[in-house]
Amino acid sequence: MPGSSINLTNQFLIAMPGMADETFAGAVVYMCEHTDKGALGLVINKPIDIKLKNLFEKVELTLDRADLANEPVYFGGPVQTERGFVLHERLGDQDGGHYNSSLQIPGGLEMTTSKDVLEALSHGAGPKKILVTLGYSGWSAGQLEEEIGRNGWITVSAEPGIIFDTPVEQRYDKALSLLGIDPRMLSQEAGHA
């Protein structure tokens, strides 16, 4: 439909089984922003070999929250992999408001890139539910729409419980279940009715 645009902000992008790009094979991406200029998201189901306590040590902070210390850091995507991104529940003003560099995702969560969120967490404050990534996933204008048109991705409204409360190895299947899809039923072949 020429002239129409889709907005995938606060949705999951779920890689189809035939995803040609190995970086995104089996990925579930939480979409933080999608505009006519492009899109930005964080992969939520690809942990890397760094624990949060180790990441905090690298930025010269201590993490005294036992519930977070051994949580993994995630591969958020191939862009700016040296930079941290913190996806977290939306904070109200009673929680001290927002951080220096936070993106409020309409209808969804918040994504913070400034160190002050890590400082708050190191003092036992800050958001209770977090997912920390190194890097993000980015698409230029029209690129994501083209990939969806080639059956690279399917989308569904995001469910925070999948990000924060579901074991990592179950996130792909749980995201698909939001659409009523059993992953075994998906074909690697693209087709159009």
Side-chain angles (χ1 to χ4, degrees):
M1 292 186 289
S4 70
S5 65
I6 56 173
N7 184 342
L8 300 175
T9 302
N10 193 33
Q11 295 210 17
F12 287 140
L13 276 185
I14 306 167
M16 291 294 283
M19 173 61 73
D21 185 342
E22 274 303 307
T23 304
F24 291 110
V28 178
V29 180
Y30 177 77
M31 295 303 297
C32 299
E33 187 172 54
H34 186 213
T35 68
D36 57 358
K37 294 180 177 74
L40 180 151
L42 300 173
V43 177
I44 63 158
N45 66 331
K46 293 195 176 216
I48 58 177
D49 278 342
I50 300 173
K51 301 289 184 212
L52 281 179
K53 65 182 174 191
N54 304 117
L55 180 71
F56 274 68
E57 289 166 4
K58 285 185 193 277
V59 295
E60 299 177 359
L61 292 171
T62 57
L63 180 59
D64 293 328
R65 284 187 45 191
D67 62 319
L68 296 177
N70 288 312
E71 285 295 310
V73 174
Y74 290 80
F75 167 77
V79 183
Q80 293 187 358
T81 55
E82 72 292 341
R83 190 165 175 206
F85 297 82
V86 182
L87 185 63
H88 56 87
E89 61 195 344
R90 185 164 286 191
L91 295 180
D93 293 329
Q94 75 276 8
D95 296 317
H98 304 286
Y99 300 105
N100 290 332
S101 184
S102 285
L103 170 67
Q104 290 189 18
I105 301 156
L109 305 169
E110 289 185 21
M111 189 263 299
T112 301
T113 57
S114 50
K115 188 177 177 183
D116 54 349
V117 69
L118 299 180
E119 291 167 346
L121 289 165
S122 77
H123 296 107
K128 298 292 177 239
K129 297 184 177 204
I130 66 165
L131 182 132
V132 178
T133 74
L134 289 177
Y136 72 90
S137 303
W139 293 266
S140 59
Q143 181 183 4
L144 181 56
E145 292 83 349
E146 184 180 312
E147 290 179 16
I148 291 170
R150 289 195 318 262
N151 295 334
W153 302 97
I154 54 176
T155 64
V156 65
S157 292
E159 169 54 55
I162 291 175
I163 300 168
F164 300 121
D165 303 322
T166 301
V168 66
E169 65 278 0
Q170 297 174 19
R171 290 179 188 169
Y172 184 84
D173 290 352
K174 284 271 195 187
L176 281 174
S177 74
L178 294 173
L179 290 164
I181 296 174
D182 181 330
R184 296 170 299 187
M185 304 302 284
L186 291 175
S187 169
Q188 294 192 22
E189 303 299 316
H192 297 280

